[in-house]
Amino acid sequence: MKKIVLLLIVAAVALVFAFDLHSLLTLESLKGSLEQFRGFQAESPWLVGGIFFAAYVVVTAFSIPGAAVMTLAAGALFGLVQGLVLVSFASTIGATLAFIGARYLLRDSVQAKFGNRLKAINEGVEREGAFYLFTLRLVPVFPFFLINLLMGLTRMKAFTFFWVSQLGMLAGTVVYVNAGTELAKIDSLSGILSPGLVLSFVLLGVFPLVAKKIIDKIKARKVYAQWTKPAKFDRNMIVIGAGAAGLVSSYIAAAVKAKVTLIEAHKMGGDCLNFGCVPSKALIKSAKLAHQMRHADQYGLHAATPSFSFKAVMARVHDIIKAIEPHDSVERYTGLGVDVVQGYATIVDPWTVEIKHNTGETSRLTARSIVIAAGASPVVPPLPGIETSGYLTSDTLWDEFAKREELPKRLVVLGGGPIGSELAQAFARLGSQVTQVELGERIMVREDPEISEMAMASMRADGVNILTQHKAIRFERRGDQKVLITEHQGKQVDIEFDDVICAVGRKARLTGYGLEALGVETNRTVVTNEYLETLYPNIFAAGDVAGPYQFTHVAAHQAWYASVNALFGHLKKFKVDYSVIPWATFTDPEVARVGLNEQDAKEQGIAYEVTRYGIDDLDRAIADSDAHGVVKVLTVPGKDKILGVTIAGVHAGDLLAEFVLAMKHGLGLNKILGTIHTYPTLAEANKYAAGEWKRAHAPEKLLVWLGKYHAWRLG
Ligand SMILES: Cc1cc2nc3c(=O)[nH]c(=O)nc-3n(C[C@H](O)[C@H](O)[C@H](O)COP(=O)(O)OP(=O)(O)OC[C@H]3O[C@@H](n4cnc5c(N)ncnc54)[C@H](O)[C@@H]3O)c2cc1C
């Protein structure tokens, strides 16, 4: 492709010289045309102005590229005042026609083509109304034609769009038209360095930055109006919550020598260490071993029913938490230079946090910036009878089960997401009779149907009774029996149980620590912009409380942006990058994903090709009796560029890392294929998937000729 473009450029240059066209592009020739035009303009000023105006309207109304050049031309041809009037009205009328066209005629096509950008615009309009459009006009985050089209799909009135656009584009138009007038004044090429022209181009470059600063100041002034800013601060940064997001935020702040206080109300390490990733993976390991013992005959050993003390299994889970605890401890963070405070934090004004210490006293600290990293808590569905059902959640089950001698006998797991699925399989493998209740058609609904099916088949083989399309209605007690009443296809299905775990999702912690009084906007999570700033630009949010992902590694990733922007945002701000986010569900088979899967690609209207490699064919997986699963890669049609990867299989979460690296650094499947992978490893599956892609894209015609060449070489 690059060679073709190069050839075309060479051909074009040759043509220009062959036909002496370059003489038309000299400054003298352009000046001559301008003189000719001025003569025509003097004879019929209205006609010339009218034609230019109409052409400008058409260009903007039909989103034809060239409006910026026409604005410069308006300055050159008509001068500053007349050029400004012409462009200002023509651009607004054209933009409004594009807006109306998108709203009434092109809705579906605009939606299909740019739909994923509409979300940001819709959210902006909902938050700030016409002021949002004004800011977009002043500081174009999106190209102007996109603003016209996408605004048409919002609920904004056409008249509001018109006047806000007219006003918002005015300053930018002045800068552009002025640059055009300066351009027209050049008499010789040395004039390019004339102070007037240089200044007008500097203005062109600087204008968006200055406009953005002004907008930011206006917004900040509005938000902070009712608060008094302290003259001095106790800290550079205060972090609320010592989970993954809070720990990493405060670590970074201390590493760059900022004075930082980290406040944790409950347990250092937050959910991941105490109630989430760590205990669940520890339990999964014991369950996997029990499963392997039961199926030891696959390895030529005698199969055995594992005999164990449940108390010992749960004690191991808590031992593992204890073994990892020092990584997140007060001692470690104090040693790193973080001031760790154990207590409950409440934000009382944009710079002040009140701390109710665990020891009983109360104190206040001020900081230039605050990072909210308060995490999320399990959702408990408001079902009748749930309060007396003895329900457990990820917050409570680890301590509750640690007290028990016996494994839960009949266990209901409400919810078919990753957490519910991991727990359901682990308890089934240990020996509980597990019923998993899911409202939807399948579990792990974010994954492609074939992947959910794979997980479901394996979990069913382990004895999990997966009930999909079952709606939990209420809990009842019938004598000693606890019963969950569900509805399936219009019929009542009763499920008797001894224990029930609610795993129907996790909701961000949004109340009880000052967000309401400050008016910090929330919508399921704390609302932030791309810099993780909340409504108050000095208050940031990261981790589960900010969403949209609920993973430890994403919390840590966001923490970097929150703390760096909090400490250095006045110099340079960084937009949080969600382009390559991996995750894994640790069922057996593990399901790991990065980027798009098929259902996402279809939903977003993105063209793709699928390549599959069956792990059942992989030497190492066969040797380990783990020969099941798939590597599924989505690529741009005809190219090796990776759009997304799903791996289902043993250690899928680890195997995925190679694709995460490839996507992050723009490496295609050819590069993976060209990399040596150690034999015999599971990681070879990635290379073989790349090989499948290569085979499907082999140059068939060339191979026919190669065949003929070799036949000829035989003599
Ligand atoms: C069962 C389970 C399994 C999971 N498995 C995985 C996995 O395998 N991989 C993965 O990536 N993720 C997993 N997760 C998700 C992961 O645990 C979370 O995404 C991660 O813990 C989020 O970190 P965070 O810092 O945002 O919040 P948290 O870890 O929830 O930390 C927030 C902290 O803030 C504190 N806090 C709240 N309000 C205040 C206040 N006002 N004052 C002081 N302190 C306050 C809380 O006490 C808490 O300690 C799992 C979660 C669960 C429940």
PDB file of all heavy atoms in Angstrom, residues 82 97 133 161 178 191 193 225 297 317 320 329 424 428 431 437 458 499 501 510 545 556 577 694:
ATOM      1  N   GLN A  82     -15.726  41.764   6.925  1.00  0.00           N
ATOM      2  CA  GLN A  82     -16.682  41.124   6.016  1.00  0.00           C
ATOM      3  C   GLN A  82     -16.509  39.599   6.039  1.00  0.00           C
ATOM      4  O   GLN A  82     -17.491  38.842   6.063  1.00  0.00           O
ATOM      5  CB  GLN A  82     -16.444  41.658   4.604  1.00  0.00           C
ATOM      6  CG  GLN A  82     -17.705  41.603   3.750  1.00  0.00           C
ATOM      7  CD  GLN A  82     -17.400  42.065   2.322  1.00  0.00           C
ATOM      8  OE1 GLN A  82     -16.486  42.850   2.110  1.00  0.00           O
ATOM      9  NE2 GLN A  82     -18.166  41.582   1.377  1.00  0.00           N
ATOM     10  N   LEU A  97     -28.065  23.089   9.523  1.00  0.00           N
ATOM     11  CA  LEU A  97     -28.673  22.205   8.517  1.00  0.00           C
ATOM     12  C   LEU A  97     -28.157  20.773   8.703  1.00  0.00           C
ATOM     13  O   LEU A  97     -28.929  19.808   8.613  1.00  0.00           O
ATOM     14  CB  LEU A  97     -28.345  22.704   7.104  1.00  0.00           C
ATOM     15  CG  LEU A  97     -29.072  23.994   6.687  1.00  0.00           C
ATOM     16  CD1 LEU A  97     -28.567  24.470   5.324  1.00  0.00           C
ATOM     17  CD2 LEU A  97     -30.585  23.776   6.637  1.00  0.00           C
ATOM     18  N   LEU A 133     -22.157  22.411  24.666  1.00  0.00           N
ATOM     19  CA  LEU A 133     -21.968  22.700  23.238  1.00  0.00           C
ATOM     20  C   LEU A 133     -21.051  23.912  23.085  1.00  0.00           C
ATOM     21  O   LEU A 133     -20.154  23.926  22.235  1.00  0.00           O
ATOM     22  CB  LEU A 133     -23.335  22.957  22.570  1.00  0.00           C
ATOM     23  CG  LEU A 133     -23.269  23.448  21.123  1.00  0.00           C
ATOM     24  CD1 LEU A 133     -22.563  22.440  20.215  1.00  0.00           C
ATOM     25  CD2 LEU A 133     -24.682  23.720  20.581  1.00  0.00           C
ATOM     26  N   PHE A 161     -29.157  25.167  19.519  1.00  0.00           N
ATOM     27  CA  PHE A 161     -27.953  24.749  18.796  1.00  0.00           C
ATOM     28  C   PHE A 161     -27.430  25.902  17.945  1.00  0.00           C
ATOM     29  O   PHE A 161     -26.230  26.174  17.906  1.00  0.00           O
ATOM     30  CB  PHE A 161     -28.281  23.536  17.911  1.00  0.00           C
ATOM     31  CG  PHE A 161     -27.112  23.046  17.107  1.00  0.00           C
ATOM     32  CD1 PHE A 161     -26.174  22.189  17.659  1.00  0.00           C
ATOM     33  CD2 PHE A 161     -26.941  23.452  15.794  1.00  0.00           C
ATOM     34  CE1 PHE A 161     -25.084  21.751  16.918  1.00  0.00           C
ATOM     35  CE2 PHE A 161     -25.850  23.019  15.045  1.00  0.00           C
ATOM     36  CZ  PHE A 161     -24.926  22.160  15.616  1.00  0.00           C
ATOM     37  N   ASN A 178      -8.561  36.156  10.562  1.00  0.00           N
ATOM     38  CA  ASN A 178      -7.417  37.058  10.705  1.00  0.00           C
ATOM     39  C   ASN A 178      -6.171  36.451  10.072  1.00  0.00           C
ATOM     40  O   ASN A 178      -5.437  37.119   9.341  1.00  0.00           O
ATOM     41  CB  ASN A 178      -7.188  37.347  12.192  1.00  0.00           C
ATOM     42  CG  ASN A 178      -5.942  38.173  12.399  1.00  0.00           C
ATOM     43  OD1 ASN A 178      -5.820  39.250  11.822  1.00  0.00           O
ATOM     44  ND2 ASN A 178      -5.011  37.656  13.169  1.00  0.00           N
ATOM     45  N   GLY A 191       8.000  37.000   3.010  1.00  0.00           N
ATOM     46  CA  GLY A 191       6.911  37.557   3.828  1.00  0.00           C
ATOM     47  C   GLY A 191       6.298  36.539   4.776  1.00  0.00           C
ATOM     48  O   GLY A 191       5.594  36.880   5.723  1.00  0.00           O
ATOM     49  N   LEU A 193       7.674  35.059   6.945  1.00  0.00           N
ATOM     50  CA  LEU A 193       8.214  35.291   8.288  1.00  0.00           C
ATOM     51  C   LEU A 193       7.830  36.675   8.824  1.00  0.00           C
ATOM     52  O   LEU A 193       8.381  37.124   9.820  1.00  0.00           O
ATOM     53  CB  LEU A 193       9.736  35.136   8.273  1.00  0.00           C
ATOM     54  CG  LEU A 193      10.221  33.692   8.066  1.00  0.00           C
ATOM     55  CD1 LEU A 193      11.728  33.645   7.950  1.00  0.00           C
ATOM     56  CD2 LEU A 193       9.761  32.801   9.216  1.00  0.00           C
ATOM     57  N   ALA A 225     -17.678  28.176  43.987  1.00  0.00           N
ATOM     58  CA  ALA A 225     -18.198  29.475  44.438  1.00  0.00           C
ATOM     59  C   ALA A 225     -18.591  29.489  45.917  1.00  0.00           C
ATOM     60  O   ALA A 225     -18.287  30.436  46.632  1.00  0.00           O
ATOM     61  CB  ALA A 225     -19.363  29.886  43.569  1.00  0.00           C
ATOM     62  N   ASP A 297      -7.651 -40.991  38.030  1.00  0.00           N
ATOM     63  CA  ASP A 297      -7.512 -42.074  37.048  1.00  0.00           C
ATOM     64  C   ASP A 297      -7.109 -41.536  35.667  1.00  0.00           C
ATOM     65  O   ASP A 297      -6.499 -42.242  34.881  1.00  0.00           O
ATOM     66  CB  ASP A 297      -8.799 -42.905  36.961  1.00  0.00           C
ATOM     67  CG  ASP A 297     -10.026 -42.051  36.781  1.00  0.00           C
ATOM     68  OD1 ASP A 297      -9.971 -40.844  37.117  1.00  0.00           O
ATOM     69  OD2 ASP A 297     -11.045 -42.571  36.281  1.00  0.00           O
ATOM     70  N   VAL A 317      -7.414 -20.639  53.565  1.00  0.00           N
ATOM     71  CA  VAL A 317      -7.813 -19.403  52.871  1.00  0.00           C
ATOM     72  C   VAL A 317      -7.372 -18.197  53.704  1.00  0.00           C
ATOM     73  O   VAL A 317      -6.760 -17.250  53.194  1.00  0.00           O
ATOM     74  CB  VAL A 317      -9.347 -19.381  52.634  1.00  0.00           C
ATOM     75  CG1 VAL A 317      -9.814 -17.998  52.198  1.00  0.00           C
ATOM     76  CG2 VAL A 317      -9.749 -20.443  51.603  1.00  0.00           C
ATOM     77  N   ILE A 320      -3.639 -17.675  53.788  1.00  0.00           N
ATOM     78  CA  ILE A 320      -3.121 -17.052  52.560  1.00  0.00           C
ATOM     79  C   ILE A 320      -3.364 -15.545  52.589  1.00  0.00           C
ATOM     80  O   ILE A 320      -2.485 -14.757  52.221  1.00  0.00           O
ATOM     81  CB  ILE A 320      -3.726 -17.753  51.323  1.00  0.00           C
ATOM     82  CG1 ILE A 320      -2.967 -19.067  51.151  1.00  0.00           C
ATOM     83  CG2 ILE A 320      -3.626 -16.891  50.075  1.00  0.00           C
ATOM     84  CD1 ILE A 320      -3.586 -20.053  50.266  1.00  0.00           C
ATOM     85  N   SER A 329       0.198  -3.652  54.190  1.00  0.00           N
ATOM     86  CA  SER A 329       0.030  -3.302  55.606  1.00  0.00           C
ATOM     87  C   SER A 329       0.357  -1.839  55.912  1.00  0.00           C
ATOM     88  O   SER A 329       1.028  -1.156  55.133  1.00  0.00           O
ATOM     89  CB  SER A 329       0.951  -4.185  56.457  1.00  0.00           C
ATOM     90  OG  SER A 329       2.285  -3.881  56.114  1.00  0.00           O
ATOM     91  N   ALA A 424     -19.562 -20.986  42.690  1.00  0.00           N
ATOM     92  CA  ALA A 424     -20.434 -22.149  42.476  1.00  0.00           C
ATOM     93  C   ALA A 424     -19.582 -23.368  42.128  1.00  0.00           C
ATOM     94  O   ALA A 424     -19.755 -24.452  42.706  1.00  0.00           O
ATOM     95  CB  ALA A 424     -21.431 -21.847  41.361  1.00  0.00           C
ATOM     96  N   ALA A 428     -18.936 -26.735  44.480  1.00  0.00           N
ATOM     97  CA  ALA A 428     -19.384 -28.018  43.923  1.00  0.00           C
ATOM     98  C   ALA A 428     -18.215 -29.002  43.909  1.00  0.00           C
ATOM     99  O   ALA A 428     -18.372 -30.181  44.237  1.00  0.00           O
ATOM    100  CB  ALA A 428     -19.931 -27.813  42.513  1.00  0.00           C
ATOM    101  N   GLY A 431     -17.649 -30.498  47.124  1.00  0.00           N
ATOM    102  CA  GLY A 431     -18.645 -31.506  47.491  1.00  0.00           C
ATOM    103  C   GLY A 431     -20.008 -30.962  47.862  1.00  0.00           C
ATOM    104  O   GLY A 431     -20.900 -31.742  48.215  1.00  0.00           O
ATOM    105  N   VAL A 437     -28.464 -19.876  40.320  1.00  0.00           N
ATOM    106  CA  VAL A 437     -29.697 -19.314  39.753  1.00  0.00           C
ATOM    107  C   VAL A 437     -29.362 -18.051  38.967  1.00  0.00           C
ATOM    108  O   VAL A 437     -28.785 -17.103  39.514  1.00  0.00           O
ATOM    109  CB  VAL A 437     -30.697 -18.987  40.890  1.00  0.00           C
ATOM    110  CG1 VAL A 437     -31.970 -18.365  40.337  1.00  0.00           C
ATOM    111  CG2 VAL A 437     -31.016 -20.248  41.679  1.00  0.00           C
ATOM    112  N   SER A 458     -18.639 -27.434  31.602  1.00  0.00           N
ATOM    113  CA  SER A 458     -17.649 -27.909  32.568  1.00  0.00           C
ATOM    114  C   SER A 458     -18.210 -27.840  33.994  1.00  0.00           C
ATOM    115  O   SER A 458     -18.014 -28.749  34.801  1.00  0.00           O
ATOM    116  CB  SER A 458     -16.388 -27.059  32.413  1.00  0.00           C
ATOM    117  OG  SER A 458     -15.648 -27.078  33.575  1.00  0.00           O
ATOM    118  N   ASP A 499     -27.579 -22.885  52.640  1.00  0.00           N
ATOM    119  CA  ASP A 499     -26.910 -21.571  52.596  1.00  0.00           C
ATOM    120  C   ASP A 499     -27.143 -20.941  51.237  1.00  0.00           C
ATOM    121  O   ASP A 499     -27.273 -21.650  50.236  1.00  0.00           O
ATOM    122  CB  ASP A 499     -25.399 -21.729  52.817  1.00  0.00           C
ATOM    123  CG  ASP A 499     -25.075 -22.000  54.271  1.00  0.00           C
ATOM    124  OD1 ASP A 499     -25.260 -21.085  55.099  1.00  0.00           O
ATOM    125  OD2 ASP A 499     -24.670 -23.149  54.571  1.00  0.00           O
ATOM    126  N   ILE A 501     -25.594 -17.717  48.756  1.00  0.00           N
ATOM    127  CA  ILE A 501     -24.620 -16.628  48.537  1.00  0.00           C
ATOM    128  C   ILE A 501     -25.203 -15.694  47.475  1.00  0.00           C
ATOM    129  O   ILE A 501     -25.587 -16.144  46.392  1.00  0.00           O
ATOM    130  CB  ILE A 501     -23.266 -17.185  48.035  1.00  0.00           C
ATOM    131  CG1 ILE A 501     -22.637 -18.098  49.082  1.00  0.00           C
ATOM    132  CG2 ILE A 501     -22.317 -16.042  47.681  1.00  0.00           C
ATOM    133  CD1 ILE A 501     -21.363 -18.799  48.615  1.00  0.00           C
ATOM    134  N   LEU A 510     -21.237   5.150  47.472  1.00  0.00           N
ATOM    135  CA  LEU A 510     -21.450   6.538  47.057  1.00  0.00           C
ATOM    136  C   LEU A 510     -22.015   7.417  48.161  1.00  0.00           C
ATOM    137  O   LEU A 510     -22.088   8.632  48.002  1.00  0.00           O
ATOM    138  CB  LEU A 510     -22.425   6.565  45.860  1.00  0.00           C
ATOM    139  CG  LEU A 510     -21.994   5.760  44.634  1.00  0.00           C
ATOM    140  CD1 LEU A 510     -23.083   5.743  43.585  1.00  0.00           C
ATOM    141  CD2 LEU A 510     -20.721   6.350  44.054  1.00  0.00           C
ATOM    142  N   VAL A 545     -15.164   2.455  42.709  1.00  0.00           N
ATOM    143  CA  VAL A 545     -16.071   3.571  42.980  1.00  0.00           C
ATOM    144  C   VAL A 545     -16.248   4.444  41.729  1.00  0.00           C
ATOM    145  O   VAL A 545     -17.272   5.107  41.560  1.00  0.00           O
ATOM    146  CB  VAL A 545     -15.551   4.407  44.184  1.00  0.00           C
ATOM    147  CG1 VAL A 545     -14.453   5.379  43.777  1.00  0.00           C
ATOM    148  CG2 VAL A 545     -16.674   5.159  44.876  1.00  0.00           C
ATOM    149  N   ALA A 556      -5.748  -0.254  39.923  1.00  0.00           N
ATOM    150  CA  ALA A 556      -4.349   0.177  40.028  1.00  0.00           C
ATOM    151  C   ALA A 556      -3.975   1.065  38.828  1.00  0.00           C
ATOM    152  O   ALA A 556      -3.252   2.051  38.980  1.00  0.00           O
ATOM    153  CB  ALA A 556      -3.437  -1.044  40.088  1.00  0.00           C
ATOM    154  N   ASP A 577      -6.394   5.695  29.946  1.00  0.00           N
ATOM    155  CA  ASP A 577      -6.399   4.911  28.713  1.00  0.00           C
ATOM    156  C   ASP A 577      -7.069   3.559  28.969  1.00  0.00           C
ATOM    157  O   ASP A 577      -6.531   2.708  29.682  1.00  0.00           O
ATOM    158  CB  ASP A 577      -4.935   4.723  28.274  1.00  0.00           C
ATOM    159  CG  ASP A 577      -4.809   3.815  27.069  1.00  0.00           C
ATOM    160  OD1 ASP A 577      -5.843   3.476  26.468  1.00  0.00           O
ATOM    161  OD2 ASP A 577      -3.669   3.435  26.729  1.00  0.00           O
ATOM    162  N   LYS A 694      -2.539 -17.224   9.620  1.00  0.00           N
ATOM    163  CA  LYS A 694      -1.618 -17.139   8.480  1.00  0.00           C
ATOM    164  C   LYS A 694      -2.052 -18.109   7.381  1.00  0.00           C
ATOM    165  O   LYS A 694      -2.063 -17.766   6.200  1.00  0.00           O
ATOM    166  CB  LYS A 694      -0.203 -17.485   8.963  1.00  0.00           C
ATOM    167  CG  LYS A 694       0.880 -17.162   7.972  1.00  0.00           C
ATOM    168  CD  LYS A 694       1.088 -15.674   7.890  1.00  0.00           C
ATOM    169  CE  LYS A 694       2.196 -15.318   6.932  1.00  0.00           C
ATOM    170  NZ  LYS A 694       2.314 -13.880   6.790  1.00  0.00           N
TER     171      LYS A 694
END
